[in-house]
PDB file of all heavy atoms in Angstrom:
ATOM      1  N   PRO A  87      18.781 -49.975 -23.076  1.00 93.00           N
ATOM      2  CA  PRO A  87      18.991 -49.144 -24.250  1.00 93.00           C
ATOM      3  C   PRO A  87      18.401 -47.668 -24.136  1.00 93.00           C
ATOM      4  O   PRO A  87      18.840 -46.800 -24.812  1.00 93.00           O
ATOM      5  CB  PRO A  87      18.267 -49.922 -25.348  1.00 93.00           C
ATOM      6  CG  PRO A  87      18.264 -51.387 -24.913  1.00 93.00           C
ATOM      7  CD  PRO A  87      18.197 -51.259 -23.409  1.00 93.00           C
ATOM      8  N   THR A  88      17.393 -47.554 -23.261  1.00 95.00           N
ATOM      9  CA  THR A  88      16.802 -46.182 -23.165  1.00 95.00           C
ATOM     10  C   THR A  88      17.006 -45.461 -21.788  1.00 95.00           C
ATOM     11  O   THR A  88      16.556 -44.375 -21.624  1.00 95.00           O
ATOM     12  CB  THR A  88      15.299 -46.286 -23.364  1.00 95.00           C
ATOM     13  OG1 THR A  88      14.718 -47.184 -22.418  1.00 95.00           O
ATOM     14  CG2 THR A  88      14.992 -46.759 -24.756  1.00 95.00           C
ATOM     15  N   ALA A  89      17.594 -46.150 -20.846  1.00 96.00           N
ATOM     16  CA  ALA A  89      17.779 -45.639 -19.468  1.00 96.00           C
ATOM     17  C   ALA A  89      19.101 -46.038 -18.842  1.00 96.00           C
ATOM     18  O   ALA A  89      19.624 -47.174 -19.125  1.00 96.00           O
ATOM     19  CB  ALA A  89      16.624 -45.916 -18.583  1.00 96.00           C
ATOM     20  N   GLU A  90      19.613 -45.185 -18.035  1.00 96.00           N
ATOM     21  CA  GLU A  90      20.840 -45.538 -17.259  1.00 96.00           C
ATOM     22  C   GLU A  90      20.827 -44.745 -15.910  1.00 96.00           C
ATOM     23  O   GLU A  90      20.435 -43.632 -15.845  1.00 96.00           O
ATOM     24  CB  GLU A  90      22.069 -45.107 -18.011  1.00 96.00           C
ATOM     25  CG  GLU A  90      23.380 -45.405 -17.377  1.00 96.00           C
ATOM     26  CD  GLU A  90      24.565 -45.144 -18.230  1.00 96.00           C
ATOM     27  OE1 GLU A  90      24.487 -44.414 -19.209  1.00 96.00           O
ATOM     28  OE2 GLU A  90      25.691 -45.546 -17.840  1.00 96.00           O
ATOM     29  N   ALA A  91      21.165 -45.433 -14.864  1.00 97.00           N
ATOM     30  CA  ALA A  91      21.230 -44.811 -13.492  1.00 97.00           C
ATOM     31  C   ALA A  91      22.403 -45.493 -12.771  1.00 97.00           C
ATOM     32  O   ALA A  91      22.579 -46.696 -12.805  1.00 97.00           O
ATOM     33  CB  ALA A  91      20.002 -44.949 -12.784  1.00 97.00           C
ATOM     34  N   GLY A  92      23.233 -44.671 -12.030  1.00 97.00           N
ATOM     35  CA  GLY A  92      24.354 -45.244 -11.327  1.00 97.00           C
ATOM     36  C   GLY A  92      24.828 -44.299 -10.227  1.00 97.00           C
ATOM     37  O   GLY A  92      24.348 -43.274  -9.957  1.00 97.00           O
ATOM     38  N   ILE A  93      25.946 -44.801  -9.647  1.00 97.00           N
ATOM     39  CA  ILE A  93      26.642 -44.096  -8.568  1.00 97.00           C
ATOM     40  C   ILE A  93      28.009 -43.688  -9.039  1.00 97.00           C
ATOM     41  O   ILE A  93      28.599 -44.346  -9.934  1.00 97.00           O
ATOM     42  CB  ILE A  93      26.654 -44.924  -7.275  1.00 97.00           C
ATOM     43  CG1 ILE A  93      27.360 -46.256  -7.551  1.00 97.00           C
ATOM     44  CG2 ILE A  93      25.240 -45.073  -6.704  1.00 97.00           C
ATOM     45  CD1 ILE A  93      27.551 -47.035  -6.246  1.00 97.00           C
ATOM     46  N   LEU A  94      28.597 -42.690  -8.401  1.00 96.00           N
ATOM     47  CA  LEU A  94      29.866 -42.175  -8.817  1.00 96.00           C
ATOM     48  C   LEU A  94      30.725 -41.983  -7.563  1.00 96.00           C
ATOM     49  O   LEU A  94      30.231 -41.394  -6.540  1.00 96.00           O
ATOM     50  CB  LEU A  94      29.688 -40.864  -9.550  1.00 96.00           C
ATOM     51  CG  LEU A  94      30.863 -40.262 -10.252  1.00 96.00           C
ATOM     52  CD1 LEU A  94      31.009 -40.970 -11.609  1.00 96.00           C
ATOM     53  CD2 LEU A  94      30.659 -38.822 -10.527  1.00 96.00           C
ATOM     54  N   LEU A  95      31.945 -42.409  -7.541  1.00 96.00           N
ATOM     55  CA  LEU A  95      32.924 -42.189  -6.459  1.00 96.00           C
ATOM     56  C   LEU A  95      34.138 -41.568  -7.140  1.00 96.00           C
ATOM     57  O   LEU A  95      34.528 -41.886  -8.196  1.00 96.00           O
ATOM     58  CB  LEU A  95      33.308 -43.430  -5.742  1.00 96.00           C
ATOM     59  CG  LEU A  95      32.191 -44.200  -5.066  1.00 96.00           C
ATOM     60  CD1 LEU A  95      32.725 -45.537  -4.530  1.00 96.00           C
ATOM     61  CD2 LEU A  95      31.612 -43.384  -3.930  1.00 96.00           C
ATOM     62  N   GLY A  96      34.757 -40.653  -6.444  1.00 95.00           N
ATOM     63  CA  GLY A  96      35.947 -40.015  -7.012  1.00 95.00           C
ATOM     64  C   GLY A  96      36.754 -39.118  -6.077  1.00 95.00           C
ATOM     65  O   GLY A  96      36.516 -39.151  -4.849  1.00 95.00           O
ATOM     66  N   VAL A  97      37.519 -38.300  -6.674  1.00 94.00           N
ATOM     67  CA  VAL A  97      38.364 -37.366  -5.902  1.00 94.00           C
ATOM     68  C   VAL A  97      38.163 -35.950  -6.525  1.00 94.00           C
ATOM     69  O   VAL A  97      38.001 -35.908  -7.751  1.00 94.00           O
ATOM     70  CB  VAL A  97      39.897 -37.807  -5.885  1.00 94.00           C
ATOM     71  CG1 VAL A  97      40.413 -37.745  -7.297  1.00 94.00           C
ATOM     72  CG2 VAL A  97      40.649 -36.901  -4.932  1.00 94.00           C
ATOM     73  N   GLN A  98      38.061 -34.943  -5.715  1.00 90.00           N
ATOM     74  CA  GLN A  98      37.936 -33.637  -6.191  1.00 90.00           C
ATOM     75  C   GLN A  98      39.156 -32.796  -5.679  1.00 90.00           C
ATOM     76  O   GLN A  98      39.636 -32.987  -4.606  1.00 90.00           O
ATOM     77  CB  GLN A  98      36.659 -33.009  -5.711  1.00 90.00           C
ATOM     78  CG  GLN A  98      36.537 -33.110  -4.201  1.00 90.00           C
ATOM     79  CD  GLN A  98      35.823 -31.957  -3.513  1.00 90.00           C
ATOM     80  OE1 GLN A  98      35.915 -30.849  -3.995  1.00 90.00           O
ATOM     81  NE2 GLN A  98      35.181 -32.194  -2.389  1.00 90.00           N
TER      82      GLN A  98
END
Side-chain angles (χ1 to χ4, degrees):
T88 58
E90 183 175 13
I93 57 173
L94 191 82
L95 298 173
V97 63
Q98 55 146 329

